[in-house]
Amino acid sequence: MDLVPALEEPLRQPLKSVLGPATAKVMAEHLGLLTVGDLLHHYPRRYEERGQLTHLADLPMDEHVTVVAQVADARLHTFASAKAPRGKGQRLEVTITDGSGRLQLVFFGAGVHKPHKELLPGTRAMFAGKVSVFNRRLQLAHPAYELLRGDPEESVETWAGALIPIYPATAKLESWKIGKAIQTVLPTAQEAVDPLPDTLREGRGLVPLPEALLKIHRPHTKADIEDARSRLKWDEAFVLQVALARRRHADAQLPAVPRKPAPDGLLTAFDARLPFTLTDGQQRVSREIFDDLATDHPMHRLLQGEVGSGKTMVALRAMLAVVDAGGQAAMLAPTEVLAQQHHRSVVEMMGELAEGGMLGGSEQATKVVLLTGSMGAAARRHALLDLTTGEAGIVIGTHALIEDKVQFHDLGLVVVDEQHRFGVEQRDALRGKGKQPPHLLVMTATPIPRTVAMTVFGDLETSVLDQLPAGRSPIASHVVPAADKPHFLSRAWERVREEVENGHQAYVVCPRIGDEEDDPKKSAKKKSPEDEAEKRPPLAVLDVADQLTRGPLQGLKVEVLHGRMHPDDKDAVMRRFAAGETHVLVATTVIEVGVNVPNATAMVIMDADRFGVSQLHQLRGRVGRGSAPGLCLLVTEMPEASPARQRLGAVASTLDGFELSRIDLEQRREGDVLGQAQSGARTSLKVLAVIEDEEIIAEAREEATAVVAGDPELTHLPALRTALDALLDEEREQYLEKG
């Protein structure tokens, strides 16, 4: 029998459609639901009890909502209009209530007849529509509705206590229509194959998958919902962790050249010239890395640390260890500014040890070369030659390192700075340049909570640097509410002048460059109800620099820096700023990572509400890098009660990046964690919340590691293999393969 398994049955097909073709089309286009299985895994967002309903008082503006409420009254008005000049226009106004608040519904024209007959006072129904404001009152215009009629046999109590699933819906398909479609296919849930091994499921007291699907879509009690959610969370965590465990297992089978530093080589000479001692954290993490480098399978390590915790120093020592052992090391940076900055600081830290083959170079020395896309042809040829012959032990560059022309003599270690900016393909291309797979060290300055690291980078071992080197100064952060208190902004510019008068420098950061043409389409889309401030375009570097030079910072040397400048100009601006010739640098986020000017003590971030939490934390890390205390001022026009202001308050209140990244994640949707940025595929997480469900993720990882160790190909677990194939569609599979 060549039948398609019931759950893989397409929702839309020519001969027999599971649903009506129009409904199936909307589900595919707007919700990404293509098969019966997809529809069964489209879980309710929440549940309404008919007795105690949505708080009408808390409805969000401009959003599509579903509410369950009772009609309080209904009035039909007639009026004259252009279409109905003789006073024949009709408008039905219905007021509904749920005990917490009231909401007005309006219907016009021919659309009034049906609701006028059906929506009588006392009637209960589900209403769906977009919340708008008319005459300062919330209303739904022409909402779709579904009457809730209790079965004659049903007692009032059971009817009022029934749980109504509310599904993630769209304007084109209301929640109850999705619910009806799911009820149509719910019998096939019996055929769902269970990915969890029986021993695991029984050992943890989880209900079987068919039962979980029935309970989540048609719960009788709140306990049913709890049972279903516990089970479905385990599915998501376990299948994802199996995918990552298989990848760790496969990596462990690859051969690599062990790289042990020579006893009195380059690393020893480098350590001897350091003017300070490494922090305990740096020594501990270095030991973890050296242990990995000494093994005969490739290291895969994530090095995460606070802004300014000295990650670059740890990475440089790892690179020197590999050069000592006869290999080469490559560091991949996301921007030219950053690559040049890394190159400059590495050469400075190494001194004569970076002058291999040159007069005055030490005998242990190697060459450190820079390779970026905008280098001149002669310099580029020279750098490529040094890499091929092995004369250059260390190369620092942008994605120019990945091009086919670039050949290494013996690539032993790849260090990727700022992981989230590099596509998986780019890392893969660089790793492919070794004779055998090189060791890999990924650095990120955005601290990631442990569970997220386990979920997103579960194939990497993690090292954390959480103490700052001695001599780093504290950074004071304050929110400057420019709209509520304009004099605070004036005071901010006075503070910048004071820092400059004391011999220091400052950054001013803006969200936009200002030379781009305003796209009318983009501005038309803006409709955040949060505040009027959203209606103007974000502040731009070129405008702000101009206003400051002619206004509050008149007489100071102000320069601009942004991503569209020619690389040589960018480098020249950074050099002048680093040398102290420029007082104030007005820049975009190109300064977000790696820029190190210890004399810069103040930073003013304009329109700070337009940046993410981790981005603000990164930016703030550019000040307070010397012995003088740092100051970071977050300027915003958002009103005090807005979520944006609360977010800025959180950033101002703590310097702990791990704490901030938790706040960031709790405020953003889960999809951003595993979404486009990480895997190039839609998130697979529907019920698992990476911050709340830490324990499940940790336990699932242990279980998955044990399962894969015993049966790497999952030969004895065909159902798990099927679930894995569903999670890893081709795009994701490639992502996981490449790492």
Side-chain angles (χ1 to χ4, degrees):
M1 278 203 343
D2 189 20
L3 286 176
V4 180
L7 270 65
E8 288 169 34
E9 195 82 60
L11 294 172
R12 177 168 59 157
Q13 52 185 356
L15 295 174
K16 60 174 187 64
S17 192
V18 178
L19 304 174
T23 309
K25 184 171 187 245
V26 174
M27 284 192 171
E29 287 174 10
H30 293 270
L31 295 168
L33 307 174
L34 305 173
T35 65
V36 171
D38 290 344
L39 186 52
L40 285 175
H41 288 292
H42 187 71
Y43 308 132
R45 175 177 283 148
R46 57 191 169 81
Y47 300 85
E48 291 289 16
E49 284 182 77
R50 285 175 169 142
Q52 42 174 74
L53 305 166
T54 332
H55 289 305
L56 292 181
D58 304 337
L59 288 179
M61 271 293 299
D62 267 350
E63 280 194 27
H64 206 81
V65 297
T66 302
V67 296
V68 180
Q70 184 164 1
V71 176
D73 78 345
R75 294 174 190 201
L76 191 62
H77 302 272
T78 53
F79 60 91
S81 71
K83 285 186 181 168
R86 290 201 297 278
K88 295 269 179 70
Q90 289 191 311
R91 179 175 79 247
L92 176 66
E93 289 180 2
V94 178
T95 306
I96 58 172
T97 177
D98 63 351
S100 79
R102 297 166 87 80
L103 179 66
Q104 181 130 24
L105 316 177
V106 286
F107 300 88
F108 293 101
V112 304
H113 305 307
K114 186 165 176 270
H116 189 218
K117 283 206 298 262
E118 294 183 335
L119 297 178
L120 305 171
T123 309
R124 289 177 103 70
M126 275 197 279
F127 303 92
K130 195 169 179 190
V131 184
S132 58
V133 168
F134 182 71
N135 278 346
R136 302 192 128 178
R137 287 164 68 192
L138 291 181
Q139 71 166 28
L140 297 181
H142 281 287
Y145 64 87
E146 176 88 339
L147 300 178
L148 296 173
R149 299 187 175 91
D151 241 341
E153 276 100 79
E154 244 182 338
S155 74
V156 175
E157 284 74 31
T158 45
W159 188 83
L163 293 160
I164 304 169
I166 304 290
Y167 290 92
T170 74
K172 292 204 167 21
L173 198 62
E174 294 89 8
S175 165
W176 57 83
K177 288 189 180 159
I178 296 172
K180 282 180 178 166
I182 287 173
Q183 296 302 335
T184 311
V185 300
L186 203 50
T188 55
Q190 294 302 338
E191 298 173 46
V193 282
D194 201 324
L196 294 190
D198 293 346
T199 48
L200 189 159
R201 189 171 54 71
E202 287 155 13
R204 295 191 174 272
L206 299 168
V207 300
L209 182 58
E211 188 183 327
L213 290 171
L214 283 171
K215 282 183 167 174
I216 202 151
H217 291 298
R218 201 186 276 164
H220 294 298
T221 61
K222 288 184 177 165
D224 283 354
I225 301 171
E226 241 356 87
D227 284 354
R229 287 180 67 83
S230 308
R231 162 61 216 244
L232 296 167
K233 281 182 177 194
W234 253 95
D235 277 16
E236 288 182 3
F238 181 70
V239 175
L240 184 64
Q241 292 301 343
V242 167
L244 293 165
R246 290 187 71 207
R247 187 156 134 216
R248 283 197 302 279
H249 184 271
D251 284 339
Q253 313 307 310
L254 291 173
V257 180
R259 310 280 179 176
K260 291 182 182 157
D264 290 313
L266 186 55
L267 181 62
T268 312
F270 174 76
D271 285 348
R273 16 166 325 127
L274 282 180
F276 52 81
T277 50
L278 298 174
T279 64
D280 295 346
Q282 285 174 315
Q283 290 177 350
R284 173 180 46 79
V285 170
S286 287
R287 277 196 299 276
E288 291 171 354
I289 291 171
F290 292 155
D291 288 349
D292 280 359
L293 290 173
T295 61
D296 53 11
H297 58 84
M299 164 172 84
H300 282 100
R301 194 165 278 281
L302 174 70
L303 169 57
Q304 52 167 330
E306 276 297 358
V307 179
S309 57
K311 291 182 298 297
T312 313
M313 172 61 71
V314 170
L316 176 55
R317 292 184 74 239
M319 295 199 288
L320 295 174
V322 168
V323 175
D324 250 355
Q328 289 169 294
M331 182 185 242
L332 196 55
T335 64
E336 296 211 347
V337 168
L338 197 52
Q340 287 162 339
Q341 185 95 24
H342 275 319
H343 181 255
R344 227 182 349 260
S345 60
V346 163
V347 169
E348 274 167 25
M349 285 194 279
M350 288 176 64
E352 74 270 12
L353 295 174
E355 296 169 1
M358 297 183 226
L359 220 58
S362 152
E363 59 188 66
Q364 288 109 329
T366 186
K367 237 188 204 176
V368 180
V369 301
L370 176 69
L371 190 64
T372 64
S374 65
M375 281 168 74
R380 192 179 167 77
R381 253 199 321 276
H382 212 88
L384 290 173
L385 188 66
D386 285 344
L387 287 181
T388 315
T389 59
E391 187 129 335
I394 294 176
V395 57
I396 296 167
T398 54
H399 51 271
L401 281 176
I402 296 166
E403 291 168 13
D404 292 345
K405 291 199 233 15
V406 181
Q407 300 294 325
F408 289 85
H409 176 65
D410 180 12
L411 181 60
L413 170 68
V414 173
V415 178
V416 179
D417 189 14
E418 281 310 302
Q419 147 83 20
H420 61 277
R421 305 224 182 164
F422 277 106
V424 174
E425 291 74 19
Q426 292 168 306
R427 290 199 331 253
D428 188 47
L430 192 52
R431 274 168 62 182
K433 290 186 177 293
K435 295 190 175 100
Q436 282 194 320
H439 299 280
L440 175 70
L441 180 65
V442 172
M443 298 199 296
T444 173
T446 309
I448 305 169
R450 175 172 160 269
T451 42
V452 182
M454 284 196 308
T455 316
V456 182
F457 301 109
D459 59 313
L460 300 174
E461 298 301 323
T462 306
S463 294
V464 178
L465 274 175
D466 46 14
Q467 60 186 136
L468 295 184
R472 275 299 167 88
S473 304
I475 304 169
S477 306
H478 304 284
V479 177
V480 177
D484 312 352
K485 299 179 177 162
H487 59 285
F488 276 37
L489 185 57
S490 313
R491 177 70 189 118
W493 301 126
E494 283 170 25
R495 283 291 291 113
V496 170
R497 290 195 86 98
E498 287 164 16
E499 290 298 312
V500 173
E501 279 157 19
N502 291 333
H504 298 301
Q505 292 158 280
Y507 297 101
V508 176
V509 182
C510 305
R512 208 162 57 98
I513 296 173
D515 59 357
E516 58 277 300
E517 286 179 29
D518 281 333
D519 180 347
K521 279 191 199 140
K522 275 187 188 162
S523 47
K525 275 187 192 159
K526 267 269 179 254
K527 57 169 194 300
S528 167
E530 207 164 46
D531 194 74
E532 289 299 308
E534 278 287 321
K535 294 211 169 93
R536 63 162 174 75
L539 291 171
V541 166
L542 301 176
D543 306 339
V544 169
D546 189 45
Q547 288 159 14
L548 292 176
T549 317
R550 287 185 294 160
L553 302 185
Q554 199 169 2
L556 299 187
K557 180 90 169 71
V558 176
E559 287 209 71
V560 299
L561 179 71
H562 59 75
R564 280 212 285 275
M565 288 164 62
H566 186 278
D568 292 348
D569 297 341
K570 278 194 277 200
D571 201 37
V573 168
M574 272 318 300
R575 277 178 194 276
R576 285 195 292 274
F577 189 65
E581 294 164 27
T582 306
H583 298 133
V584 178
L585 187 62
V586 183
T588 54
T589 53
V590 291
I591 61 156
E592 183 184 344
V593 280
V595 173
N596 185 20
V597 180
N599 192 45
T601 52
M603 176 177 283
V604 181
I605 302 178
M606 307 302 291
D607 278 346
D609 46 273
R610 312 257 179 154
F611 297 95
V613 170
S614 57
Q615 210 173 18
L616 291 169
H617 183 57
Q618 285 279 13
L619 286 165
R620 170 171 63 184
R622 302 301 112 214
V623 295
R625 299 176 80 85
S627 51
L631 173 69
C632 179
L633 302 174
L634 306 165
V635 180
T636 178
E637 291 185 8
M638 285 294 171
E640 198 161 355
S642 63
R645 269 284 281 282
Q646 289 161 8
R647 206 169 62 230
L648 295 179
V651 174
S653 68
T654 178
L655 290 172
D656 180 342
F658 286 91
E659 180 54 34
L660 283 175
S661 61
R662 287 183 76 94
I663 292 169
D664 196 14
L665 275 173
E666 281 161 5
Q667 290 187 343
R668 293 188 319 179
R669 288 188 341 280
E670 212 66 63
D672 299 346
V673 179
L674 293 178
Q676 297 292 340
Q678 300 301 355
S679 66
R682 279 181 315 137
T683 173
S684 54
L685 302 191
K686 296 190 177 81
V687 282
L688 190 73
V690 286
I691 292 287
E692 284 164 36
D693 298 320
E694 292 196 35
E695 281 174 28
I696 295 180
I697 291 170
E699 290 170 18
R701 179 174 171 140
E702 278 175 33
E703 294 274 12
T705 308
V707 164
V708 170
D711 182 3
E713 290 306 310
L714 309 179
T715 322
H716 304 297
L717 298 166
L720 175 56
R721 181 77 238 200
T722 308
L724 205 57
D725 293 341
L727 168 77
L728 307 175
D729 54 38
E730 210 167 307
E731 198 174 5
R732 271 187 114 100
E733 184 71 83
Q734 285 174 351
Y735 157 70
L736 283 170
E737 286 296 314
K738 288 178 176 172

